[in-house]
């Protein structure tokens, strides 16, 4: 029967029905289930794990949620309850957040370590998507932000196996205790913001950790102060800077799109895939584990943040063109050339309309001597022939 239960779709009820078909006068369903349970307990005994002080923090989310009412719209949000417990002393922490997404997950773990006043060697968590990208037992892949968080706090992340509550028994038990001693007491209260809810949870949490446990004859706080507080590693001297990692492909205009805004990278990386690190203030772009660009994060949608050095030389010349730069380039040929270029842009409704003509006159310096170009511009100013074609004809005809 134990072997048959391992097959897909086979249930204990089905096996009992087959048993009664073979033995019409056989035992009833209750006796049948009891004998199978006794056999299972002998065949798969439970391992008694010894928890070393300061070794592990186990964390999980409670199944129960607490409604938070938006006072402006009346909309109800289900607050998620994060629970963390130190395995050796069972010292417990819980915190309410609006979701189980990555920012709330990181903040909850950060608050837990701050509440305990130290860091454990390992952190045992569930396989939620916010923390674990690939839930493989032998080689789990952590979310890049969660991995950076673990490095910052010098703790090792050990994701539990899916649907294996024995991998984090302290967290499973503490979740039940939190639901009974904290969440159940809040069932008749109404909350309109997270701050008020977490304040109430903090009061009840203090009572829970101060309550004497019958098994140990001590409270969680007393046991924590006695055996575990001194074994925790110190907190980092600097706070963890939250950052998200994304993958992006460089566009043909040597920009990557991040949250509806475009940031430049060196133009020789066009078409490559890069890793983007996003913090509240900065955007860092990495290629082959090397940082190739860094920008101040912009809140402008569809905006372009471009560094001059990232552009090809031809683009740099075009992007940096202003009326004054063209006049300065013309002044290197001569005063008359500078005056003519200035008139080309000044006499038009928009200076940009004279850019091409100005470029054309400057390009004549590559085909004719500088003295001849300066003389041609002087003649054009004298006869008021202010155009590129006029200067080119003067030079061509030798006037």
């Amino acid at each position: 029967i134990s072997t048959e239960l391992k097959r897909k779709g086979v249930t204990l009820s089905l096996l009992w029905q087959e048993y009664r078909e073979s033995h019409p006068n056989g035992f009833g369903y209750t006796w049948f289930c009891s004998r199978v349970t006794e056999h299972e307990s002998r065949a798969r005994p439970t391992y008694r794990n010894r928890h070393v002080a300061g070794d592990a923090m186990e964390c999980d989310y409670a199944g129960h949620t607490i409604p938070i009412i938006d006072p402006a719209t009346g909309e109800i949000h289900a607050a998620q309850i994060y629970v963390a417990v130190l395995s050796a002393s069972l010292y417990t922490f819980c915190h309410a957040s609006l979701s189980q997404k990555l920012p709330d997950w990181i903040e909850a773990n950060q608050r837990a370590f701050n509440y305990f006043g130290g860091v454990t060697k390992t952190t045992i968590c569930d396989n939620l998507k916010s923390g674990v990208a690939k839930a493989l037992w032998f080689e789990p892949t952590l979310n890049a932000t969660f991995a950076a968080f673990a490095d910052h706090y010098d703790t090792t992340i050990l994701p539990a196996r899916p649907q294996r509550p024995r991998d984090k028994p302290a967290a499973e038990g503490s979740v039940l205790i939190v639901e009974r001693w904290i969440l159940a007491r809040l069932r008749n209260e109404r909350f309109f913001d997270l701050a008020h809810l977490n304040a109430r949870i903090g009061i009840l949490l203090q009572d829970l950790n101060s309550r004497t446990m019958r098994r140990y004859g001590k409270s969680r706080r007393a046991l924590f102060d006695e055996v575990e507080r001194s074994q925790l590693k110190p907190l980092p001297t600097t706070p963890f800077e939250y950052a998200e990692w994304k993958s992006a492909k460089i566009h043909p205009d040597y920009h990557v799109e991040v949250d509806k805004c475009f940031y430049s990278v060196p133009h020789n990386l066009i078409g490559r895939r890069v890793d983007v690190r996003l913090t509240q203030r900065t955007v860092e772009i990495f290629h082959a584990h090397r940082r190739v660009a860094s920008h101040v994060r912009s809140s402008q949608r569809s905006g372009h943040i471009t560094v001059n050095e990232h552009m090809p030389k031809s683009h740099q010349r075009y992007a940096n063109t202003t009326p004054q730069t063209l006049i300065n380039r013309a002044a290197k040929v001569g005063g008359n050339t500078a005056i003519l270029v200035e008139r080309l842009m000044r006499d038009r409704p928009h200076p940009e309309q004279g850019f091409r003509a100005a470029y054309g006159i400057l390009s004549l310096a590559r085909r004719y001597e500088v003295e001849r170009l300066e003389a041609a511009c002087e003649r054009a100013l004298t006869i008021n022939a202010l155009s590129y074609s006029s200067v080119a004809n003067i030079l061509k005809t030798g006037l």
Side-chain angles (χ1 to χ4, degrees):
I1 290 171
S2 179
T3 302
E4 287 295 309
L5 280 173
K6 297 178 181 179
R7 300 176 64 176
K8 187 176 182 179
V10 177
T11 64
L12 205 55
S13 176
L14 173 63
L15 294 175
W16 174 73
Q17 291 175 14
E18 294 176 351
Y19 160 74
R20 287 301 293 263
E21 290 174 0
S22 303
H23 305 83
N25 298 323
F27 293 99
Y29 182 67
T30 303
W31 178 92
F32 185 84
C33 292
S34 299
R35 301 290 82 76
V36 173
T37 302
E38 290 176 5
H39 169 77
E40 290 288 327
S41 64
R42 292 192 299 270
R44 289 187 288 181
T46 301
Y47 174 72
R48 177 63 65 182
N49 190 14
R50 292 186 61 193
H51 300 291
V52 180
D55 188 59
M57 179 185 80
E58 301 177 18
C59 51
D60 199 0
Y61 279 99
H64 291 188
T65 59
I66 296 180
I68 295 182
I69 305 171
D70 188 331
T73 63
E75 185 179 358
I76 298 177
H77 303 278
Q80 307 295 316
I81 308 301
Y82 167 90
V83 178
V85 58
L86 299 179
S87 302
S89 64
L90 299 181
Y91 195 46
T92 304
F93 168 78
C94 63
H95 173 74
S97 59
L98 289 179
S99 72
Q100 298 184 17
K101 295 181 180 179
L102 183 60
D104 292 322
W105 169 249
I106 295 295
E107 181 189 4
N109 283 278
Q110 196 168 6
R111 287 178 177 270
F113 285 136
N114 291 338
Y115 182 81
F116 296 140
V119 182
T120 55
K121 295 178 182 177
T122 61
T123 300
I124 304 173
C125 65
D126 214 344
N127 282 282
L128 74 167
K129 289 291 184 180
S130 300
V132 184
K134 290 185 179 180
L136 303 176
W137 169 241
F138 294 104
E139 291 182 344
T141 303
L142 298 180
N143 177 286
T145 304
F146 193 33
F149 172 84
D151 290 338
H152 183 80
Y153 278 89
D154 191 23
T155 184
T156 302
I157 307 297
L158 298 178
R161 293 173 294 177
Q163 299 179 350
R164 291 294 188 276
R166 290 181 180 178
D167 287 350
K168 46 180 177 53
E172 298 290 342
S174 295
V175 164
L176 292 176
I177 292 173
V178 166
E179 290 176 347
R180 293 168 183 171
W181 288 97
I182 296 180
L183 304 187
R185 292 184 175 186
L186 302 176
R187 67 189 185 280
N188 295 324
E189 298 185 30
R190 301 177 69 188
F191 300 96
F192 299 94
D193 56 66
L194 277 176
H196 184 205
L197 173 57
N198 280 313
R200 288 287 293 126
I201 288 176
I203 295 173
L204 296 177
L205 181 63
Q206 185 176 1
D207 176 68
L208 172 65
N209 284 323
S210 301
R211 188 180 299 275
T212 301
M213 296 182 288
R214 287 180 294 179
R215 180 178 176 183
Y216 297 97
K218 299 178 181 179
S219 67
R220 291 172 173 80
R221 184 180 301 278
L223 197 59
F224 169 73
D225 291 335
E226 181 180 336
V227 302
E228 195 147 28
R229 182 189 294 274
S230 61
Q231 300 302 315
L232 297 176
K233 293 186 290 186
L235 292 168
T237 55
T238 57
F240 174 71
E241 183 181 22
Y242 176 81
E244 293 186 19
W245 288 82
K246 296 183 178 181
S247 178
K249 187 176 181 179
I250 301 177
H251 296 182
D253 64 351
Y254 46 88
H255 285 71
V256 293
E257 182 181 1
V258 180
D259 287 347
K260 307 299 182 181
C261 189
F262 298 87
Y263 300 89
S264 69
V265 296
H267 66 89
N268 59 345
L269 296 176
I270 290 175
R272 306 288 182 87
R273 295 205 70 85
V274 293
D275 296 315
V276 183
R277 182 177 182 266
L278 294 170
T279 67
Q280 188 176 4
R281 298 181 179 85
T282 62
V283 175
E284 296 177 289
I285 303 168
F286 295 82
H287 178 257
H289 306 289
R290 182 175 63 89
R291 190 173 74 173
V292 295
S294 179
H295 301 273
V296 176
R297 190 168 184 176
S298 173
S299 59
Q300 180 184 359
R301 292 176 64 88
S302 301
H304 285 73
I305 310 299
T306 307
V307 175
N308 193 63
E309 290 74 13
H310 293 165
M311 297 186 291
K313 294 296 183 182
S314 58
H315 291 198
Q316 290 183 30
R317 288 193 295 269
Y318 181 79
N320 297 331
T321 299
T322 64
Q324 189 58 47
T325 59
L326 290 174
I327 293 172
N328 292 341
R329 288 177 59 184
K332 295 179 181 179
V333 177
N336 292 313
T337 307
I339 294 172
L340 178 60
V341 167
E342 190 270 337
R343 289 282 303 276
L344 285 173
M345 294 181 289
R346 188 186 66 187
D347 293 347
R348 287 170 168 77
H350 301 284
E352 291 79 4
Q353 294 174 336
F355 279 11
R356 289 189 180 182
Y359 273 122
I361 290 175
L362 293 174
S363 69
L364 294 173
R366 295 195 294 268
R367 288 183 284 165
Y368 300 97
E369 296 177 358
V370 172
E371 292 79 5
R372 289 194 64 194
L373 176 58
E374 172 67 8
C377 290
E378 182 181 5
R379 181 177 179 85
L381 288 170
T382 302
I383 63 177
N384 201 30
L386 306 181
S387 66
Y388 162 76
S389 57
S390 297
V391 176
N393 287 330
I394 292 172
L395 288 168
K396 186 176 180 180
T397 57
L399 297 176

